[in-house]
Amino acid sequence: MSDGIRCMLLRGGSSKGAYFLAADLPAGPAERNELLLRVMGSPDERQIDGLGGGHPLTSKVAVVAPSADPEADVDYLFLQVVPDRAIVTAAQTCGNLLAGVGPFAIERGLVPAAGDPTTVRIRIVNPAVSLVEARVRTPGGRVRYDGDTVMAGTPFPAAPIDLAFPGGPDPAFPTGARTDQLAGLTVTCVDAGMPVVLLRAADLGLDGTEDPADLEARTELRATLEAVRLAAGPAMGLGDVRDTTVPKLSIVSPPRHGGTVTTRTFIPHRVHAAIGVLGAVSVAVAVRTPGTVAPYAGDPVVRVEHPSGTFDVGVELEPDGAATRVRRSTVVRTARKIFDGLVWPRSGRATG
């Protein structure tokens, strides 16, 4: 470690993270996670001694490796490093960092640039294995990061990256119902790649357009939402979620700016400045299914309004009702390489 560890920092979607080849990290999860705490600067709410930015959206890690699956080119493991606690969790994936996996795989030589665009087949390995295709712009055989695609949640345009998710065999509503009663509230539990609990803003005494900082400052609201989340864990088959970052909680209300639904998403304790990719897919599934707590819309493209703009999600479902499965979903994201080089972890074990 005295010679540094090869690392690339990328903005992926509306998040930012450190990307590593699996071969450049310890093979054992415990040793790897302890190292990543020191790389990212946890536990410390500012992460002043590492790469992390003091927020869950900027304290993320992607680990990429060649895939043994004939249907994939690379494996992608997402790790959430908690800023102020010595916790690294693989309990969920991250659709935002996913946007940077294709460019990273091409940059590291795992996938050759083939025409323009180059398709990278990615196997997401946490927690349930799933596949996704990323189409990366590669004019002249090099990844192009600059472009004109403006993505809400990030202030500057970049080249588009098309992500297509095939559906899975499991129902999108893990409790077997389109609504459930949890901690005294009517909610919808949905998992279309990200476990999410949807709640009506009106049921919480909210308008639904509140600023994230306002929502985070409401102690009673946060306690109510945590009670719902803890009840949702066993109901969704996730077990005790006290020390995990799933499920997320999305507060939904009618659209205000020509979209389909307005959202405010707890991830799970801070409020997202936008919305996560797979979280948006889960919200879109609820919107496309009658009888959930979300406003219903039959259009196959769902425009999700969030604190910093909108996010379009294409969703194909089969069949209807509580047994609904996702046949296919599509989104457009962007990514940008920030640096490529070596990172030196702080010395000493991470405690706290």
Side-chain angles (χ1 to χ4, degrees):
M1 300 304 168
S2 62
D3 294 327
I5 305 164
R6 190 162 58 152
C7 173
M8 186 180 293
L9 190 70
L10 292 103
R11 176 190 59 75
S14 56
S15 295
K16 183 167 61 178
Y19 290 67
F20 297 90
L21 289 175
D24 292 332
L25 295 174
E31 185 181 1
R32 178 202 65 206
N33 291 351
E34 198 280 328
L35 172 65
L36 291 176
L37 287 169
R38 293 189 283 125
V39 166
M40 300 302 287
S42 294
D44 170 31
E45 64 180 11
R46 295 179 301 158
Q47 293 180 309
I48 197 67
D49 212 12
L51 293 178
H55 191 283
L57 297 181
T58 56
S59 184
K60 300 185 173 188
V61 171
V63 182
V64 181
S67 182
D69 189 328
E71 296 186 6
D73 300 310
V74 297
D75 287 349
Y76 159 50
L77 172 68
F78 169 70
L79 298 169
Q80 178 72 63
V81 181
V82 178
D84 59 350
R85 301 171 68 187
I87 294 175
V88 179
T89 175
Q92 67 175 76
T93 190
C94 174
N96 275 305
L97 282 204
L98 174 63
V101 172
F104 178 77
I106 296 169
E107 294 261 21
R108 285 288 187 261
L110 300 182
V111 177
D116 182 25
T118 295
T119 296
V120 181
R121 301 174 305 161
I122 302 166
R123 183 174 71 159
I124 301 171
V125 298
N126 58 311
V129 173
S130 59
L131 299 172
V132 60
E133 286 190 353
R135 296 172 70 239
V136 182
R137 273 53 179 179
T138 51
R142 296 176 62 89
V143 176
R144 178 185 176 185
Y145 294 99
D146 64 303
D148 299 324
T149 297
V150 177
M151 192 196 75
T154 184
F156 305 108
I161 297 172
D162 306 300
L163 299 176
F165 303 87
D170 296 330
F173 298 96
T175 67
R178 283 170 282 182
T179 61
D180 294 280
Q181 297 295 316
L182 297 178
L185 290 167
T186 302
V187 306
T188 290
C189 299
V190 58
D191 186 351
M194 177 65 68
V196 177
V197 180
L198 278 67
L199 308 96
R200 295 188 189 95
D203 291 347
L204 296 165
L206 301 173
D207 174 72
T209 61
E210 288 82 0
D211 184 80
D214 175 17
L215 293 174
E216 289 182 2
R218 300 190 185 201
T219 304
E220 185 176 343
L221 171 66
R222 292 175 62 180
T224 297
L225 293 179
E226 183 64 1
V228 171
R229 197 178 76 87
L230 294 179
M236 298 178 74
L238 301 171
D240 184 355
V241 297
R242 194 176 311 274
D243 293 322
T244 72
T245 55
V246 290
K248 314 299 187 189
L249 302 111
S250 277
I251 299 171
V252 295
S253 61
R256 272 67 168 198
H257 304 288
T260 314
V261 61
T262 298
T263 61
R264 295 294 185 267
T265 301
F266 282 74
I267 56 173
H269 307 297
R270 302 291 299 274
V271 179
H272 206 307
I275 190 170
V277 172
L278 293 172
V281 173
S282 290
V283 169
V285 169
V287 168
R288 291 285 320 282
T289 305
T292 73
V293 300
Y296 171 71
D299 194 316
V301 176
V302 175
R303 174 157 290 180
V304 180
E305 298 180 6
H306 54 73
S308 52
T310 61
F311 184 0
D312 288 353
V313 182
V315 179
E316 299 175 22
L317 302 177
E318 62 175 15
D320 294 323
T324 292
R325 298 189 304 275
V326 180
R327 181 185 299 152
R328 177 181 171 86
S329 59
T330 56
V331 300
V332 177
R333 298 275 85 187
T334 68
R336 192 179 79 81
K337 180 169 66 173
I338 298 171
F339 83 69
D340 187 5
L342 300 175
V343 60
W344 280 264
R346 72 159 187 273
S347 60
R349 294 187 62 83
T351 58

